[in-house]
Amino acid sequence: MTIACELYPRVPASLLAGPEAGAGTGTGALLRSGVSALLLTGADQPGLALGLVHTFVTAAQGRDISVLVENDVQLAKVLNASGVHFSTPAEQTPQEVRALLGDDALVGASCGLSRHDAMTLCESGVDYVAFVEPSATDAGLSESFEDVAAMLQWWSELFETPSVAWGQDSHDEAVLQAFITAGADYLSLPAAYWLDENAAAKLSHLLSVCTARSIPA
C-alpha cells in the first residue's frame, strides 16, 4: 500500500493579466504540468479583466484540469468553472451550489483544524475538506504544521471524503512530506512555491514529491 497525493495549486487571478501568464513560465507552465485541479483566488477583485480569467479557465479545462473559484458561486457560474471552494463560511449548501453550477460541480471547504467543522462539512456533502494551519499572526493561536499532520492522519483513518493540506509560504519540503505521510489526498500550494522563471521545474519536482515518490504505508 502507498500513500499518493495530488497537487492542488492556488492561482491568484491577478497573475492572469501579468507576464507570468505567458507560455514559458508561470501559469503557462502550470497548465502543462499535469496537475488535475487548481484553485483560482481573488477573481472577484474590482477591475479584473474577467475575459482573461475566463480564457485561462477554458484553457485549463481543455487540459482536463478542474478549476475551482474561491468563495464566489455566481462568479464560478460566469466563468463556467468546475466548482467552488469556500475558505470562509458558506452561504450556500453544496446542494444549492450544484443546483446553480450543475450536478457535477465540485464543492470544497476549509475547516481550520476543527474536527467538528470537518465532520459537519463532510455530512453536508462537500467533495473535500481542507485543513488549514492558523496564521502565525492570529493572536492566541499556537498550532503548527504538526497539528495539521495530526488532523490529516485522524481524518484519513476514519473518513473517505478526501482531505486537503493547505500549504503555506513558510512550509518547506520536509513539511510537505509530513503532510503526504499523514495521508493528505491533495496539497494546496500558494503561487510562491512555483511562480518564477523555474516554474516548470518546480512544478515537476513538487508533483514527484506528491506522487512518484509515494511513501510506503
Side-chain angles (χ1 to χ4, degrees):
M1 178 181 178
T2 59
I3 301 171
C5 186
E6 295 188 60
L7 200 60
Y8 181 31
R10 303 197 296 275
V11 182
S14 58
L15 297 177
L16 304 181
E20 297 87 352
T25 61
T27 54
L30 179 62
L31 293 179
R32 298 190 305 275
S33 67
V35 301
S36 62
L38 59 85
L39 176 61
L40 195 62
T41 65
D44 57 349
Q45 296 178 46
L48 195 67
L50 287 183
L52 292 173
V53 178
H54 186 268
T55 297
F56 174 79
V57 171
T58 301
Q61 292 171 332
R63 292 177 177 267
D64 294 324
I65 302 172
S66 298
V67 180
L68 282 73
V69 174
E70 187 177 37
N71 293 331
D72 196 323
V73 180
Q74 291 295 334
L75 182 57
K77 183 174 178 63
V78 169
L79 295 173
N80 196 31
S82 310
V84 64
H85 171 85
F86 293 107
S87 58
T88 57
E91 295 182 358
Q92 297 105 321
T93 66
Q95 292 74 25
E96 290 170 336
V97 172
R98 295 186 184 107
L100 182 64
L101 301 183
D103 292 341
D104 295 331
L106 300 170
V107 183
S110 300
C111 58
L113 292 178
S114 168
R115 293 190 178 192
H116 176 269
D117 289 351
M119 290 187 288
T120 299
L121 287 168
C122 182
E123 292 171 355
S124 77
V126 296
D127 293 293
Y128 66 81
V129 295
F131 295 109
V132 184
E133 178 183 345
S135 169
T137 61
D138 290 344
L141 296 174
S142 60
E143 288 89 347
S144 66
F145 79 88
E146 288 95 345
D147 299 290
V148 178
M151 289 291 289
L152 291 165
Q153 182 172 355
W154 164 75
W155 186 262
S156 67
E157 292 172 351
L158 296 176
F159 300 93
E160 294 184 0
T161 299
S163 64
V164 176
W166 209 256
Q168 310 288 356
D169 290 346
S170 59
H171 291 158
D172 58 21
E173 189 170 311
V175 172
L176 304 186
Q177 287 279 19
F179 291 160
I180 295 172
T181 303
D185 295 289
Y186 294 89
L187 285 176
S188 180
L189 297 178
Y193 268 88
W194 49 266
L195 189 68
D196 61 18
E197 66 276 7
N198 298 314
K202 284 188 174 183
L203 284 163
S204 177
H205 174 68
L206 287 170
L207 282 166
S208 74
V209 170
C210 289
T211 57
R213 293 194 285 122
S214 297
I215 302 170

